[in-house]
Amino acid sequence: KKEMCFCILYKLYKHCIGRGMNSKACKKAHKKPHSVFLQDVYSYSHEGRGIDIVPVAYAEDNIGYIIRDQSTGLVGLIDPADPINFIKKLTELNWEPDYIFNTHWHWDHAGGNKKLNNKYKVQGIIGGQSENVDGYTQEMSEGSEFLFGELPIKCIESSFHTKHHLCYVIEIGSQTIMFTGDALFYGGCGKFFEGRPENFLDFAQRMKGLKEDTLLFFGHEYSVDNMRMAHYIDAGNRVIEKDLEQVT
């Protein structure tokens, strides 16, 4: 019965109420933004190639990103589900987006696609194959590569949160950058809405191919809650205690 109830509610979220729920959460946060410590911009460059990453906080605990190829000036949006906050930040930067990248279809990640496209007429809206993100024009899958200006963006599929959730990976010299959406967080991972634990384990095995110093840019700020849960489960673990102190 619980599984049947979840399936019904999940379908309602997907087809009927999800867009409205995201819009309501964004409007509420406009009055009281969530307090996540974020730099204004993260910049990485190597031998004439580089990227600027501007985080955009929205809704209760979401984080999307504006990325810019330093060589060509090409601009992309990653999970821009709050058009108002993204337009405000783009205006401050005097940038206009060329592409929208979605990690998955959930409305709190893809709910702003159409409004932003109506305003900026982007060249493409990109999501996972068969993920059916709102307004998509191009689909990617495991191992796909997209040339964003002079920066190749590689896709790693993480098919446990949603069936075709994507993580986007960019390499700048020796530095690897990964936009994880709802696949990975600090101290945790996304819920298994459409996949199973074995799908996560498969993803984790493929993650081993990334460098240990890979920088992860998450889709939500769950650090404190995750580390508190870890501390509850494994009290006395000094590594966890140190991490919990760091995020609080």
Side-chain angles (χ1 to χ4, degrees):
K1 290 183 179 180
K2 287 182 179 180
E3 186 174 343
M4 183 180 296
C5 183
F6 167 77
C7 289
I8 293 170
L9 290 173
Y10 196 63
K11 285 183 178 180
L12 286 172
Y13 171 79
K14 183 173 185 176
H15 299 291
C16 302
I17 62 176
R19 189 191 296 273
M21 289 173 63
N22 176 65
S23 179
K24 184 177 180 180
C26 290
K27 287 179 181 178
K28 183 178 179 181
H30 293 158
K31 299 176 182 178
K32 188 179 180 181
H34 66 79
S35 55
V36 177
F37 175 75
L38 297 168
Q39 291 180 202
D40 290 336
V41 60
Y42 299 81
S43 295
Y44 308 93
S45 59
H46 178 76
E47 295 183 350
R49 295 169 62 247
I51 188 172
D52 299 316
I53 303 170
V54 180
V56 179
Y58 64 94
E60 184 178 356
D61 46 37
N62 283 82
I63 309 171
Y65 301 92
I66 303 172
I67 62 174
R68 178 179 175 272
D69 173 30
Q70 293 176 359
S71 299
T72 64
L74 209 65
V75 174
L77 309 180
I78 297 179
D79 288 347
D82 183 346
I84 290 177
N85 279 11
F86 272 83
I87 291 170
K88 180 180 178 181
K89 181 59 69 174
L90 286 163
T91 302
E92 289 175 7
L93 296 166
N94 196 27
W95 294 352
E96 289 200 2
D98 300 285
Y99 290 95
I100 293 173
F101 297 88
N102 292 124
T103 56
H104 60 299
W105 70 264
H106 285 171
W107 292 107
D108 63 323
H109 293 261
N113 289 359
K114 287 185 178 178
K115 286 186 178 180
L116 288 162
N117 188 37
N118 287 340
K119 180 175 177 61
Y120 294 109
K121 309 302 180 190
V122 297
Q123 297 178 39
I125 299 175
I126 298 161
Q129 188 172 16
S130 301
E131 187 72 6
N132 295 319
V133 300
D134 197 36
Y136 76 92
T137 61
Q138 185 173 346
E139 295 182 317
M140 311 283 276
S141 58
E142 171 69 25
S144 293
E145 192 169 295
F146 182 90
L147 189 60
F148 178 71
E150 295 188 4
L151 301 175
I153 299 180
K154 300 175 183 177
C155 299
I156 297 179
E157 195 168 87
S158 42
S159 55
F160 55 92
H161 186 65
T162 63
K163 283 191 178 298
H164 302 283
H165 183 295
L166 293 179
C167 296
Y168 296 106
V169 178
I170 301 172
E171 294 183 351
I172 307 292
S174 61
Q175 183 63 67
T176 302
I177 297 163
M178 182 175 182
F179 297 93
T180 66
D182 281 3
L184 288 178
F185 307 112
Y186 191 101
C189 67
K191 294 178 181 178
F192 300 169
F193 282 121
E194 299 179 18
R196 301 179 61 82
E198 50 264 36
N199 300 124
F200 173 78
L201 291 174
D202 175 65
F203 168 68
Q205 288 295 323
R206 284 179 281 120
M207 280 286 291
K208 290 181 179 180
L210 298 178
K211 297 174 183 176
E212 288 189 9
D213 64 349
T214 295
L215 297 174
L216 304 182
F217 288 84
F218 313 123
H220 288 269
E221 177 46 64
Y222 292 155
S223 304
V224 175
D225 288 344
N226 284 343
M227 295 317 300
R228 282 175 176 166
M229 175 61 75
H231 185 259
Y232 174 79
I233 293 171
D234 193 7
N237 185 312
R238 293 300 301 164
V239 174
I240 292 175
E241 288 177 358
K242 184 178 179 180
D243 282 351
L244 181 56
E245 291 172 4
Q246 182 176 337
V247 299
T248 54

